[in-house]
């Protein structure tokens, strides 16, 4: 659901109950797997930030999806333990809970995206306590993702709402944390599950890159004075994409688009001067069931690698060998998981990127990268 290098960074620290160490001989990359929390939930996303302004990173976990559940806040005690935990509002069918300073008061507020229900706003009192602040967006939608980004560059974070089978939405912030102006975009019946916000054509405004399912091609929506009508499809075939990321994998100065797919191999559509995105490379040997895709320089060799969170499968890391076309595949998890979200971040400030996963019907997990 979110790329850490050009969207809001999410930092997460949790109870660290060491379960196992996974050794990956390839490129000397290995992880120690730890769990946080002690309940198996239907978690769909994880977001983090300093909710109580005490200098450490706290956590919001979105739970439910199609089945109503309560979202959770964990407050960091400062030593990596989370003794303070509380629920947010009543049970909801939540797919995403994202953090940002919506009203400009210096603390992180929360937007919650729900399936077949109204989407909700919560305002932070500065101490990590949230109060309900109303709804945003269309009354009827199948929200699958939420992205906070200043799409119109007025200095206030706006909400991009990703809806499956309904028009996607841009909810513009009036500077006070109110989102009364809603701009729909997308084609009728578009089954969007993820969106990247990025100036893909380098013209000074933010464009939108949509990941689509249900035999629909992924697409770029170009920003033309906040009208997102100009649409360009990506690649040559529909791949049932659940997650999308961008990075310059081959270091040629153009952003490439990485697609995490189900029922087909994961792919890279390479960028070029004309933004054609017709040169594609499959980087998995078998058909995938990838729910989350992220990028980062995992092995600290100066190029971008790919991390895939899979449904009913082993989570994988694909180490870029240098030119963006060949990858060494290594396992992250030892057992099969049902991973819906992945975040990549250096949690322990050791200069190595760690991996956090939100899992359905299982414990949420953290993979701390081991030093050489």
């Amino acid at each position: 659901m979110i790329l850490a290098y050009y969207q809001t960074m999410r930092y997460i620290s949790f109870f660290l109950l060491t379960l196992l160490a996974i050794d990956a001989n390839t490129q000397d990359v290995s992880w120690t797997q730890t769990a946080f929390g002690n309940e198996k939930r239907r978690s769909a996303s994880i977001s983090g930030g300093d909710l109580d302004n005490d200098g450490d990173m706290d956590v919001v976990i979105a739970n439910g999806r199609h089945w109503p559940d309560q979202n959770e806040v964990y407050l960091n005690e400062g030593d990596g333990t989370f003794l303070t935990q509380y629920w947010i509002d009543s049970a909801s069918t939540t797919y995403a809970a994202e953090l940002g300073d919506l009203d400009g008061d210096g603390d992180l507020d929360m937007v919650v995206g729900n399936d077949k229900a109204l989407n909700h706003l919560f305002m932070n009192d500065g101490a990590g306590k949230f109060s309900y602040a109303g709804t945003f967006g269309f009354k009827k939608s199948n929200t699958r993702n939420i992205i906070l980004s200043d799409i119109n560059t007025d200095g206030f974070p706006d909400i991009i709402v990703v809806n499956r089978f309904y028009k996607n939405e841009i909810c513009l912030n009036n500077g006070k944390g109110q989102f009364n102006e809603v701009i729909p975009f997308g084609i009728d019946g578009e089954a969007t599950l993820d969106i990247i916000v990025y100036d893909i054509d380098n013209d000074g405004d933010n464009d939108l890159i949509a990941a689509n399912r249900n035999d629909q091609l992924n697409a770029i929506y170009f920003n033309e004075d906040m009208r997102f009508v100009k649409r360009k499809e990506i690649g040559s075939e529909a791949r049932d994409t659940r997650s999308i990321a961008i990075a310059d994998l081959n270091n040629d100065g153009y952003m490439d688009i990485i697609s995490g797919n189900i029922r087909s191999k994961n792919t890279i559509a390479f960028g070029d001067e004309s933004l054609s995105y017709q040169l594609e490379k499959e980087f998995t040997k078998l058909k995938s069931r990838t729910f989350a895709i992220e990028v980062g320089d995992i092995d600290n060799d100066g190029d971008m690698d790919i991390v895939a969170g899979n449904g009913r499968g082993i989570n994988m890391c694909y180490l870029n060998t240098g030119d963006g076309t060949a990858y060494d595949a290594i396992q992250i998890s030892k057992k099969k998981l049902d991973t819906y979200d992945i975040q990549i971040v250096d949690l322990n400030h050791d200069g190595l990127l760690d991996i956090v996963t939100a899992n359905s019907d299982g414990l949420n997990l953290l993979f701390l990268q081991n030093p050489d």
Side-chain angles (χ1 to χ4, degrees), residues 192-237:
T192 305
L193 269 71
D194 195 12
I195 280 179
I196 294 295
V197 181
Y198 188 79
D199 183 8
I200 198 72
D201 55 2
N202 199 31
D203 65 350
D205 53 32
N206 289 316
D207 308 301
L208 303 171
I209 307 168
N212 294 324
R213 282 196 63 188
N214 297 89
D215 297 320
Q216 299 173 4
L217 286 167
N218 300 330
I220 301 171
Y221 287 90
F222 294 97
N223 187 342
E224 297 179 323
D225 297 323
M226 287 301 295
R227 296 178 67 253
F228 294 86
V229 176
K230 183 181 177 181
R231 183 179 188 272
K232 179 180 180 58
E233 293 182 335
I234 301 167
S236 58
E237 62 181 280

Side-chain angles (χ1 to χ4, degrees), residues 71-82:
N71 302 318
E72 305 168 89
V73 169
Y74 288 89
L75 295 181
N76 193 335
E77 299 298 318
D79 58 358
T81 62
F82 294 82

